[in-house]
Amino acid sequence: MQNFIQQIQQQLDKKLPFVAYRKPNEGTITAILQKDDVLHVVNNFAETGFIFAPFDTHSKSVLIPLDKKITTVYAHLETKKATIVKETFEVKKHLDLVTNAIQVLQTNTCKKI
């Protein structure tokens, strides 16, 4: 874990783009670290990489291209009891968010959630 945090800190210190994420119900944290400081944008969604798509449809989507990054993966183990409690909370939270999103979409007040 210490090496993972050091690599993230180095990206911050060098002001290089990166993303770190964990998929729901998984114990693996993935960091995608871009090697250069170029701001890459999506042209036609045929690009391969990690895309940051804004809710504002007039803004450009930012891309960390596969050929410009390295990936670091760290497996984080949790106790079974803590995982069950956390998963139960996350499922309820997710269901509430989906319900709210459906209600907003039905009002036709937004285009993307």
Side-chain angles (χ1 to χ4, degrees):
M1 183 65 161
Q2 186 63 27
N3 185 42
F4 181 83
I5 293 170
Q6 286 174 346
Q7 289 179 337
I8 298 295
Q9 187 61 54
Q10 287 172 357
Q11 284 294 110
L12 285 168
D13 293 344
K14 294 177 183 176
K15 298 182 180 178
L16 295 174
F18 74 94
V19 62
Y21 62 91
R22 182 183 63 86
K23 294 180 182 176
N25 302 319
E26 288 190 8
T28 302
I29 302 170
T30 302
I32 301 173
L33 312 172
Q34 187 171 305
K35 295 178 185 178
D36 60 27
D37 64 353
V38 176
L39 179 62
H40 301 276
V41 294
V42 174
N43 294 315
N44 58 13
F45 287 96
E47 299 87 356
T48 305
F50 193 96
I51 297 174
F52 297 91
F55 286 100
D56 176 5
T57 56
H58 301 303
S59 296
K60 294 186 181 219
S61 296
V62 175
L63 169 74
I64 297 180
L66 280 181
D67 63 343
K68 302 287 183 190
K69 58 98 182 166
I70 59 174
T71 302
T72 302
V73 178
Y74 174 76
H76 175 73
L77 304 175
E78 299 178 20
T79 65
K80 187 67 177 168
K81 183 177 179 183
T83 301
I84 291 170
V85 170
K86 183 177 177 185
E87 287 176 0
T88 302
F89 174 75
E90 287 178 355
V91 167
K92 176 164 179 5
K93 183 178 173 185
H94 177 73
L95 290 174
D96 290 345
L97 287 171
V98 170
T99 300
N100 289 341
I102 291 169
Q103 291 171 351
V104 170
L105 286 170
Q106 288 173 338
T107 65
N108 294 321
T109 57
C110 64
K111 296 179 183 179
K112 178 180 174 182
I113 292 184

